Structure formats: structure tokens, C-alpha cells
Amino acid sequence: MPTDHRCELARIKRFDQLVAYLRVKMGWPIEGDNFEDLTFDYTPDELGIDAASAAKIQEIKRLRPLAVNQPWSIFFVKFEPKRLPVVALRRILSRVVLKKRAVANSAERAAWDMTDLLFISNHGDDAERRITFAHFVQDDGCGDLPTLKVLGWDDDDTGLRLDHVASQLTTKLCWPDDVADVETWRTTWASAFTERNREVVTTAKHLAERLADLARRTRLKANAALAIESATGPLRTLMDAFKKALIHDLTDDGFADMYAQTIAYGLLSARISRPAGLTADNMADMVPVTNPFLKEMLESFLRLGGRRRSGAGWTGIDFDELGINEIVQLLREVNMEAVLRDFGDRNPDEDPVIHFYESFLKEYDAKKRMQRGVFYTPRPVVSYIVRSVHELLQTEFGLTDGLADTTTWGEMLTKHPGLKLPLLSDSPGETQTILPKEPFVQILDPATGTATFLVEVIEVIHATLTAKWKQQRLSEAQRIDAWNDYVPKHLLPRLHAYELMMAPYA
């Protein structure tokens, strides 16, 4: 947009100045008596906002319809002179609509249809008062929850370039020439809040870049939300639940990072597994039952955050507020067949859900990738290492079944009298040892990542036992029964793995 228009908008600090701009520059036929006063109060507690980060509404006015069958209800909201973070603005405007609809009579309720509302807000410190246009958009990818699009705030929040704002206002939000063409009016104004069309993603690298960019935004927005939330806020409630259950020293940014990565990569996993039907509200349902950990975690994000349908509307974590709907939209629009084909050409015989994570983290946080050592070990290397250990157990320790062997420490002591039971601790004076009944062969992966080594270990053990049972002339049904008996008794108790980052679990 031209620089003079940017400066002109920047100078608007009061509603009378804005009304003059709308009348002169945008052709709105507004007169001084076209407004009616409304009342609205909220408490920071009901929005989960810390009182210090809240801003009271000084006045809210509705612009009376200026044309017959006008499809838009237009509201002017003036906040007290105080810095108002965008997450707080979103929550307040959402609550305005929900409360007003709840008390409106049947004739008035149509005026509060979310997708036909235009909020023009005046907010900020005295020295930096600003005007913000906001509109609720019903996106097919967002479930039942409309998305609040903000025009005129900042590029990081909306994805709309700031130098694009005035041109949107002066071209798309101008008063229509034909006010009788209601549908065109509705569509044209709504288009002012639509992001520019972007190139369809068709390669694995492009998807990693785009997904990482949106995940970084979600992390920033989660940090911003935590900064303004009270102890009972939905995101902080969820964070406290994770601190109690998983990571006791979890920091705000650590949680925001974990949340952003897990949501982004979890949605990618769901999208690859289930090609169609992905929305923000059904993401847990989209995860196959074969991935119970991810399914339960995503359900926890919904349940612990209080995201549920209530009589007053949606409460709890606002996916729009955190930018998750943008991730959903990306994954709905991506040409996943082309992406997977491109990935397969570069990584034949590899599972993209598992091994795409390294590419994602490289784009999302290259420093953390280095710190955590997130480097994918090629499958042939993994196979060589695991099979070498398997053979050494057979040749050097006399354990016929190698990694599958269930020999205990007590049995090894009988065979090798010189052996001693390991101590449970290396502290001075510690004498307690492991129990003789403990298995001699234990598998530990201290930085398991996407568990590539554990998968190979299981495959080697399964192949070893299958060959053994075939030599014993067990039928296929007997081999299945034997394996199902072996797994809970002798396999799972010997598998141990740790990972500091949450997304690889997904």
C-alpha cells in the first residue's frame, strides 16, 4: 500500500478520526447519530487472563444498519488506554459475541451471527493507540469453532503483510456500489481477511519449511498466552497437568515448545495416516489406534485444556489463538501424495512419519537439533549395529538366542562363577545388587528419538524366535501363541528407552 495511506492510518487514534476516514476514504455513509450504545462487562477470571494483562472495555457501539438487508453487523469497541496483547483481544471479542448471543432475543440473535460480524477496536497505550479490524471466519478445517482473523495488528499474528492492510481496507472494505447485492457484499468484505493464495506444497523440503514456520508461530503464541494467563487459564492448566505427570521442572518456553512440536507433528502423522477429513477438533480421532500414545496425548491437549462444547459456546484452549488452525489448513491443502512420492525418491524404504522428523526439526530449531543430537541413523547402519550385538551375545557370551535370550543373572553366575551381580548404585557404601532373577540381556536406548533401534531389536528378536520355533516344528498357530506369550513376559520388560523431546514420541 502507498506510504501516505500507512501514515494516515497510523495517525488515527480516536473513533471520530476513524469515522472520518471511513466516510471520506472508504465511502461509508456514516453520520454522527448512526450509533447506538451497548453494554458489556467481563472479568479477567472468566477468560483465564491475569488481571494485569486485561483491559476494560470503555465503550462499545453498534453502527445502525446503513442499508436495507445489510449483511454485516458492525461494532466499535474502545478499550481503556493499556497495552492489549492479541491473545487477550481475541478472547475478549469471542466472549462479547458469546455473551451477547446468549442474552439476545430471537429477533436480535441474527445480528450476532459470528460470521457476519465486523469488530473495529481502539486499543493500546496512550502513545500507541491503534485501530484493529477483526472478523470471524467459519473455516471447514476448524470444526465448529470460527476463526477470528485480525487485520491491522501484526504480520506474525495474522499472516497478512502490514503493507497489505490499507489496500485491503480501501479496496475490499469500501462501501459497496450496489448495496442490494448482499452476497457480493458479504463475500467482498470477508475476502479482506483472507490470506493470499500460496503455492501448493509438493515436496518434502517445502513441507518441512512451512510446517516448521507455523510450529514456531504456535510456540510464540503459546508463550504469549502463558504470559497473560492467570493460574486458572486453560493453557497454564494444561501445562501444570504435564508438570505433575511428566516433567516437573518444565518451563513456560519448554512447554510452549513441546506443545507446538507435538501438535504440528501429531497433525502431520494424522494427515499421512488418514488422507481426508482432518479438522482441528477431530485431530485425536484421526490418529490410528495403532498409535495409542499420540492419540491419548492429543486427547489430553483437548480434555485437560477444557476444550469442550458448553451452553455458552467453546471454552478452554483456543486453537485459533495458538495458530493451530493454520497448521490444519496447510495439511488439508498440501499435495501429500506428491510429498510422499518425493520423500520416497530420496529415502526409499523409509517410513516418512518417523524419519521426516529430522527434516522438520532442522527447519524448526536447528540449534536444538544439534543440542539434542537429532540425526537420523540410516536403516542399514542401525541393522548392522543391532545384528552385531546380537551375534556377539551368541559367540562371546554363549547365549544361543542372542538379544532374544531370557537367561537370568542367576543362571549366568552358575555358568560363570567369576561373574558378580552388578550394584544398583555406584554411591560409596552401596552394596545392594540386582536380583538374580533379573534377565541378563537388557536393551537400553538413552536417546531413542523415533525408536529406530528398538524397532530393529524387535525385528531381530522376532526373526530369531520364529526360526527357532520352526526348527521345533511348531505350527503357525503355535508360533503366534508363543510370540504373544513371549512379548509381555520376556520382551517388553527388557526394553528401556528415553527421549527428552516430546515430538519424537508422537
Side-chain angles (χ1 to χ4, degrees), residues 15 35 93 96 117 138 165 170 180 200 215 247 254 278 306 359 406 432 453:
F15 276 139
F35 294 91
L93 293 182
V96 168
L117 301 180
Q138 184 65 60
V165 172
T170 55
V200 176
I247 308 171
L278 181 66
S359 300
T406 59
Q432 186 178 2
F453 277 89

Side-chain angles (χ1 to χ4, degrees), residues 50 125 135 204 313 325 342 344 367 401 424 452 461 466 479:
D50 180 71
D125 297 329
H135 165 56
N325 285 327
D342 174 65
K367 183 177 180 181
D401 294 334
L424 287 177
T452 308
I461 290 175
T466 298
R479 294 198 299 271

Side-chain angles (χ1 to χ4, degrees), residues 143-352:
D144 293 331
L145 184 65
T147 299
L148 183 66
K149 296 291 187 179
V150 179
L151 184 65
W153 190 276
D154 62 63
D155 180 60
D156 187 59
D157 173 64
T158 65
L160 298 167
R161 295 180 60 82
L162 286 178
D163 62 4
H164 185 55
V165 172
S167 63
Q168 294 292 85
L169 295 178
T170 55
T171 59
K172 296 181 178 178
L173 286 177
C174 280
W175 201 256
D177 294 329
D178 183 5
V179 295
D181 189 352
V182 173
E183 286 307 311
T184 298
W185 188 354
R186 177 181 282 115
T187 302
T188 302
W189 275 23
S191 69
F193 299 88
T194 303
E195 295 184 20
R196 296 175 177 179
N197 292 329
R198 291 178 296 213
E199 180 185 358
V200 176
V201 174
T202 58
T203 68
K205 178 175 175 55
H206 193 186
L207 178 57
E209 292 171 346
R210 289 284 304 281
L211 188 63
D213 178 60
L214 294 179
R216 281 194 300 271
R217 293 188 184 192
T218 293
R219 178 178 178 177
L220 290 173
K221 292 174 181 179
N223 270 309
L226 289 169
I228 63 116
E229 279 195 355
S230 64
T232 58
L235 204 61
R236 194 159 289 282
T237 299
L238 179 61
M239 175 179 164
D240 290 341
F242 270 80
K243 287 178 71 172
K244 291 177 182 177
L246 289 175
I247 308 171
H248 304 306
D249 59 349
L250 189 62
T251 63
D252 283 9
D253 184 60
F255 173 75
D257 175 39
M258 179 191 77
Y259 189 93
Q261 281 201 57
T262 306
I263 287 289
Y265 211 75
L267 285 171
L268 173 66
S269 301
R271 173 65 176 83
I272 292 175
S273 302
R274 303 283 181 90
L278 181 66
T279 71
D281 295 321
N282 76 348
M283 60 182 185
D285 299 331
M286 295 297 294
V287 178
V289 294
T290 51
N291 195 341
F293 183 90
L294 176 59
K295 194 175 188 71
E296 184 172 348
M297 174 171 287
L298 294 182
E299 287 174 348
S300 296
F301 282 154
L302 296 171
R303 184 179 65 254
L304 293 177
R307 185 174 170 82
R308 59 188 179 278
R309 191 75 175 181
S310 69
W314 286 100
T315 60
I317 292 176
D318 184 348
F319 284 174
D320 169 38
E321 176 181 293
L322 298 179
I324 295 170
N325 285 327
E326 295 180 59
I327 299 175
V328 171
Q329 194 62 33
L330 166 67
L331 294 174
R332 284 165 58 88
E333 295 175 352
V334 67
N335 186 337
M336 191 58 74
E337 289 185 2
V339 169
L340 294 179
R341 188 164 54 246
D342 174 65
F343 182 91
D345 290 342
R346 300 171 186 273
N347 307 273
D349 302 322
E350 301 291 2
D351 185 339

Side-chain angles (χ1 to χ4, degrees), residues 19 30 37-38 54 127 137 142 145 179 256 278 323 343 354 359 381 390 428-429 439 444 472:
V19 169
I30 308 176
D37 291 325
L38 301 175
V137 177
C142 303
L145 184 65
V179 295
L278 181 66
F343 182 91
I354 294 177
S359 300
V381 176
H390 177 68
L444 168 65
Q472 295 174 353

Side-chain angles (χ1 to χ4, degrees), residues 348-364:
D349 302 322
E350 301 291 2
D351 185 339
V353 174
I354 294 177
H355 302 306
F356 187 73
Y357 180 66
E358 182 186 355
S359 300
F360 164 76
L361 189 61
K362 178 182 177 182
E363 301 295 338
Y364 171 77

